[in-house]
Amino acid sequence: MNLAEGWTLCDESGAYSVGFSLPGDGITALHAAGAIADPYWGRNEYDLRWICGRDWVAKRSFSTSRTDLVLVVSMLDTVAEIAVNGVTVLASDNMFRSYRIDLSAALRLGANDIAITFRAPEIEAAKRQTAQPYFVPFSANNTPIHNGNMLRKPSCDFGWDWNIALGSFGVYGDFYLEPRAQTRITAVGVAQSHSAHRAVVTVTADVEGEAEGAEVSFALHGVTTQAKVQRGQAIAALVVENPALWWPAGQGAQPLHDLVIEFGDQVLIRRIGLRDAALVNVKDAAGLGFKFRINGRDIFAKGANWIPQDALSGRITPEATRDLLQSAVDANMNMIRVWGGGRYEPDWFYDLCDELGLMVWQDFMFSCHIYPADSAFLADVAIEVAEQAKRLHYHASLVLWCGDNELIGALTWFPETRANRDLYLVGYDRLNRTIETALKAAVPGAVWWPSSPSPGPMDFGDAWHDDSKGDMHFWSVWHEGRDFDHYRDVSPRFCSEFGFQSYPSMDVIRKFADPKDFNIAAPVMESHQKNAGGNARIAETMFRYFRFPVDFENFVYLSQVQQGLAIKTAVTHWRSLKPHCMGALIWQLNDTWPVCSWSSLDHGGGWKLLHHMAKQFFQTVFVSAVPVAGGIELRAINDGTALDVTVKAMAVAMDGSTRPLAEATVNVAETAVLALKINTTDLGVQEMLAYTWADGSTQISGDTFAPKPYKHYDLLPAHLTHQVSETNGIYEITLTAEALALFVAVESDQPGRFSHNAVTLFPGYPATITFTPAQPGAAPRFTIRDLHSATYGPTA
């Protein structure tokens, strides 16, 4: 019996009473009922923080003809009690656990009442802080609602440097009744063992069951077998010959197979991909390597960090999530990191990653704070970790479990931790060991990494500035205001976080601001910038690289151009270091609400210019321009099978005319290969480098490189023209230019998807961009920008 509908939500004072549906959150319910203003509009957030300072109660009635029922609950947010007919049947304070509650003592035949009391998270968190034997610091600069480290709830619900702070509450997973079963599977473990050449894979299924001696049947890929439950377990091995292997996106196909398990009346299906995944850490002359090996093949991880799809969980949908993940794949990404300040995603999220070939780096949900280390807290964490590991481990996409996000660094961030490092280091070690022990007990073959960033197991060094070992978070360019070239000063083994901010696109800005607020210093714009000094840093960087834009809309455009250039500088250099560097995960893929941030996708799924640029610089075969002493090296990179790549280099003047510089053909296998070196003296004062690369006569791609900041080039009016044609609802925009046109971007007044954007145009070489509207309707109107028009103003 699904209990999703028919709830009424009231606050403790009785001032508010609205309809409520599950899964859902209270703030979304209040807004849908018209009881509060849109939390995302203007500065409304600050007028709505009172919500998380009150208790709320959701109630409904239901009827039943039997009392031997179990209530199944998951993702209950967070400090909450459930009562049936006035009898408390559950008191929970961990959103990351699920529950099966025997209701037989509370139910009655016929009508029953059920109520969920959601305690005020701000108040409950403060109570738990007060009860600690010593103060447990939290990142107050990120979280205007304090003490979020006290609750097992998404850290970003208390605010973050990209997130709204509302301290939401609700139920986001299961909430239903079912009969208490005599025979029931409680957990399924799945392990794979591959033969040396992967011609045979043995899949071992380990079922935990509640009926001793009962028979369990297993079926996979045409192979069937049975086993009896003995001492609570039934174990079966299924041998698959000549398996069709699962590969990350860009490396092969993603075949999935149903492992069907039958136990009495219960049938469970686990959809698995046959693959062998390992994290390879080998000491070398540089330090300690970090790379993923899938089916024996070393994979350069290209991707981004994932945060919750929306700040309010009631607004999260599988459809919108699929769109975001598909966009990652469409931009040639093959990995996402589920960041430790959000939530463990539902099963369908990992199903999508399995289907799309997106490897998942899964953090446990601890981020940027110090956490309690008392026995009760750690015991609860151990249960949480075991449950999440058992729930998710079988997914082909899940290739790494990571203990936390930035907790090692947090040991140096607070006055208390600096004054008494030993106390807090011991507490961290207890937490980290609890997580590792619980994970490996639940999933013995789990691939584990202690923290991100981390120089390696039992190493508590500075992985923000030491690029020689483990994974690195590199934030010096953004947080320290360093030049983009500083990305080239480090050679990470694997960079799991780095980023640069931009403004959201204009269509998103119009969803939270009036035209009168279209100014970077306007209070509304500042309220949608959660990183201290972020707007000033975006503007200061523009002064460094560009002539300043002529108006607000072009400021928004140029902020996205420079964001793309920053990340392109990092990725193209680090890819050129392969195999020394074997991964680059951009911070971040998506936004939780409309905000200035580091994301490549806007809130709602639109592509920023960075995402279009990522589609190019993450492509399988790419040529990086790397400044070196005396010139520029062009380094060919290949993440696929070996091929001959012909690179042609040219000098391009501001009028778009080109002259050849050099040409070379190189065979590029898996590692980066130097194709050409262009001397600094080969380029004139007002010339840039342009180059193309091809496989024989088949053109692959091309790029440009400016040796100096763009403000030093005297751009000419490009006199851009465009023609639009429509076929079956899809629009083709053909662009032409009379001079070199840089970062040519097309915008639409309707939501939809462009095939590519931020392109370079040369005279006589038109470009065609397609636009697919999200919904059929009136013909869209297009706006076209380029670097000249943004900084000099429009030309006739």
Side-chain angles (χ1 to χ4, degrees):
M1 181 189 298
N2 192 335
L3 297 179
E5 302 297 332
W7 295 82
T8 299
L9 179 68
C10 302
D11 73 319
E12 60 189 16
S13 71
Y16 293 87
S17 179
V18 300
F20 190 40
S21 297
L22 308 182
D25 70 87
I27 294 172
T28 297
L30 288 165
H31 177 235
I36 61 172
D38 180 0
Y40 295 173
W41 176 263
R43 293 173 51 82
N44 288 345
E45 167 193 2
Y46 306 105
D47 295 329
L48 298 176
R49 289 218 182 126
W50 59 267
I51 296 171
C52 72
R54 297 186 183 184
D55 291 350
W56 295 80
V57 180
K59 298 179 179 180
R60 65 158 287 174
S61 299
F62 64 93
S63 294
T64 179
S65 59
R66 57 194 295 178
T67 60
D68 59 334
L69 297 178
V70 171
L71 176 62
V72 179
V73 180
S74 63
M75 299 185 79
L76 175 62
D77 184 12
T78 286
V79 181
E81 299 100 44
I82 298 176
V84 175
N85 299 321
V87 178
T88 299
V89 297
L90 175 69
S92 172
D93 60 358
N94 189 334
M95 176 181 146
F96 306 131
R97 290 180 56 185
S98 62
Y99 304 92
R100 295 180 57 83
I101 309 157
D102 187 345
L103 298 186
S104 56
L107 284 174
R108 54 193 178 215
L109 297 177
N112 291 267
D113 296 320
I114 187 168
I116 312 169
T117 300
F118 300 98
R119 300 298 178 185
E122 184 176 24
I123 295 172
E124 293 297 326
K127 287 180 182 178
R128 283 158 173 75
Q129 181 70 267
T130 301
Q132 288 296 312
Y134 53 85
F135 180 68
V136 184
F138 56 92
S139 294
N141 59 317
N142 270 0
T143 53
I145 303 173
H146 289 173
N147 299 305
N149 54 338
M150 293 292 107
L151 299 183
R152 298 306 299 138
K153 170 181 175 60
S155 291
C156 62
D157 284 355
F158 297 86
W160 215 258
D161 56 3
W162 37 260
N163 200 34
I164 196 169
L166 291 174
S168 57
F169 65 93
V171 182
Y172 317 134
D174 299 318
F175 205 95
Y176 62 85
L177 298 170
E178 69 177 19
R180 191 172 61 246
Q182 299 301 312
T183 60
R184 191 175 72 86
I185 297 172
T186 57
V188 178
V190 180
Q192 300 183 28
S193 176
H194 292 253
S195 63
H197 299 289
R198 294 172 182 80
V200 178
V201 58
T202 301
V203 177
T204 302
D206 182 351
V207 169
E208 297 176 22
E210 291 184 342
E212 192 69 16
E215 189 167 84
V216 184
S217 65
F218 304 82
L220 173 69
H221 207 262
V223 180
T224 60
T225 190
Q226 291 80 36
K228 290 185 180 298
V229 176
Q230 297 179 332
R231 293 184 294 277
Q233 281 186 305
I235 302 175
L238 300 99
V239 178
V240 179
E241 297 183 355
N242 300 314
L245 298 177
W246 182 96
W247 290 96
Q251 297 291 325
Q254 294 81 43
L256 298 170
H257 314 280
D258 287 341
L259 171 62
V260 181
I261 303 168
E262 297 185 43
F263 186 34
D265 294 333
Q266 190 177 12
V267 179
L268 288 186
I269 298 176
R270 296 288 184 263
R271 204 160 192 219
I272 66 173
L274 303 177
R275 61 102 179 101
D276 180 26
L279 175 65
V280 181
N281 301 120
V282 177
K283 291 184 178 180
D284 54 24
L288 182 69
F290 190 107
K291 62 182 176 183
F292 291 93
R293 182 171 291 163
I294 308 297
N295 303 327
R297 183 186 303 168
D298 292 343
I299 307 294
F300 191 101
K302 302 178 289 189
N305 286 260
W306 173 268
I307 59 177
Q309 181 223 302
D310 201 282
L312 297 174
S313 292
R315 302 185 181 194
I316 293 174
T317 67
E319 295 76 20
T321 300
R322 174 185 281 276
D323 182 64
L324 294 171
L325 296 175
Q326 183 66 59
S327 288
V329 174
D330 291 345
N332 294 309
M333 297 182 184
N334 60 22
M335 175 175 275
I336 57 168
R337 172 179 172 237
V338 179
W339 169 75
R343 64 180 199 162
Y344 306 99
E345 295 291 344
D347 294 343
W348 52 259
F349 175 91
Y350 302 90
D351 289 338
L352 290 171
C353 293
D354 292 344
E355 295 170 18
L356 294 170
L358 280 170
M359 296 182 287
V360 174
W361 167 318
Q362 177 68 54
D363 281 359
F364 285 100
M365 292 299 120
F366 303 88
S367 182
C368 296
H369 304 304
I370 305 300
Y371 286 86
D374 59 273
S375 57
F377 184 86
L378 295 180
D380 191 51
V381 166
I383 296 171
E384 167 194 322
V385 168
E387 178 184 328
Q388 296 296 339
K390 289 180 179 180
R391 178 174 73 93
L392 299 175
H393 74 280
Y394 68 88
H395 285 278
S397 55
L398 208 160
V399 298
L400 182 71
W401 294 93
C402 179
D404 61 71
N405 174 76
E406 297 191 349
L407 264 59
I408 293 175
L411 292 168
T412 68
W413 294 349
F414 308 102
E416 297 86 357
T417 58
R418 291 192 294 269
N420 196 350
R421 178 177 169 82
D422 288 353
L423 171 67
Y424 292 100
L425 177 60
V426 169
Y428 169 73
D429 185 63
R430 288 180 177 176
L431 173 63
N432 195 252
R433 286 178 180 271
T434 296
I435 297 169
E436 180 183 9
T437 301
L439 168 67
K440 291 182 176 178
V443 183
V447 179
W448 161 258
W449 187 246
S451 181
S452 182
S454 171
M458 299 306 295
D459 189 334
F460 299 96
D462 180 5
W464 280 263
H465 298 91
D466 181 357
D467 60 356
S468 67
K469 49 191 175 180
D471 77 305
M472 185 180 196
H473 290 188
F474 190 65
W475 281 106
S476 296
V477 171
W478 173 257
H479 288 301
E480 298 173 18
R482 304 289 291 270
D483 290 340
F484 295 168
D485 284 340
H486 188 45
Y487 284 120
R488 300 189 180 99
D489 294 337
V490 295
S491 302
R493 314 311 301 269
F494 190 110
C495 197
S496 46
E497 271 193 32
F498 62 102
F500 199 91
Q501 272 201 1
S502 76
Y503 270 63
S505 302
M506 281 306 305
D507 61 324
V508 174
I509 290 174
R510 291 187 180 98
K511 293 178 181 178
F512 69 80
D514 285 322
K516 65 182 176 62
D517 298 313
F518 289 0
N519 186 299
I520 64 171
V524 166
M525 298 307 300
E526 290 183 334
S527 73
H528 287 252
Q529 165 61 271
K530 298 302 185 182
N531 184 241
N535 287 347
R537 188 163 294 120
I538 292 172
E540 185 275 333
T541 304
M542 282 188 193
F543 279 118
R544 193 182 304 172
Y545 289 103
F546 302 100
R547 303 183 191 193
F548 210 67
V550 296
D551 58 22
F552 178 77
E553 293 196 12
N554 281 297
F555 180 94
V556 170
Y557 155 81
L558 196 55
S559 79
Q560 293 196 11
V561 168
Q562 76 174 7
Q563 178 192 32
L565 281 173
I567 302 308
K568 179 182 179 181
T569 302
V571 171
T572 55
H573 180 65
W574 296 339
R575 285 191 73 188
S576 80
L577 302 178
K578 182 183 176 182
H580 172 89
C581 177
M582 286 299 291
L585 305 183
I586 300 167
W587 184 271
Q588 65 222 55
L589 181 70
N590 55 308
D591 272 333
T592 57
W593 73 305
V595 66
C596 300
S597 84
W598 300 267
S599 70
S600 65
L601 296 174
D602 278 317
H603 182 250
W607 287 33
K608 291 185 180 179
L609 297 185
L610 166 59
H611 208 76
H612 285 285
M613 294 165 77
K615 182 179 180 180
Q616 189 207 28
F617 61 63
F618 273 147
Q619 63 187 309
T620 300
V621 179
F622 187 78
V623 175
S624 291
V626 180
V628 294
I632 304 161
E633 286 184 354
L634 296 179
R635 301 176 185 172
I637 307 151
N638 183 12
D639 291 328
T641 55
L643 76 164
D644 290 332
V645 176
T646 299
V647 181
K648 296 181 179 180
M650 299 153 281
V652 56
M654 295 301 99
D655 63 1
S657 61
T658 61
R659 57 185 180 85
L661 295 176
E663 178 177 338
T665 298
V666 292
N667 184 266
V668 189
E670 293 185 359
T671 57
V673 174
L674 176 62
L676 289 171
K677 180 177 179 182
I678 307 301
N679 295 322
T680 303
T681 55
D682 291 338
L683 294 175
V685 174
Q686 287 293 309
E687 287 184 323
M688 298 178 185
L689 175 65
Y691 56 98
T692 62
W693 58 98
D695 176 10
S697 61
T698 303
Q699 188 77 12
I700 298 175
S701 194
D703 206 354
T704 58
F705 179 80
K708 299 178 294 187
Y710 287 90
K711 66 182 182 180
H712 291 296
Y713 294 94
D714 296 325
L715 300 177
L716 299 175
H719 298 295
L720 294 171
T721 61
H722 70 282
Q723 293 183 333
V724 179
S725 62
E726 181 267 333
T727 304
N728 298 322
I730 297 176
Y731 295 83
E732 283 194 350
I733 307 106
T734 301
L735 302 161
T736 60
E738 296 180 7
L740 177 67
L742 299 170
F743 309 110
V744 179
V746 186
E747 301 168 5
S748 171
D749 67 345
Q750 296 182 19
R753 185 69 44 82
F754 290 98
S755 58
H756 49 295
N757 227 330
V759 300
T760 300
L761 288 182
F762 297 83
Y765 293 89
T768 299
I769 295 174
T770 63
F771 177 74
T772 304
Q775 301 288 341
R781 297 179 66 251
F782 298 109
T783 300
I784 306 195
R785 306 181 194 275
D786 74 323
L787 188 56
H788 181 276
S789 65
T791 53
Y792 287 80
T795 55

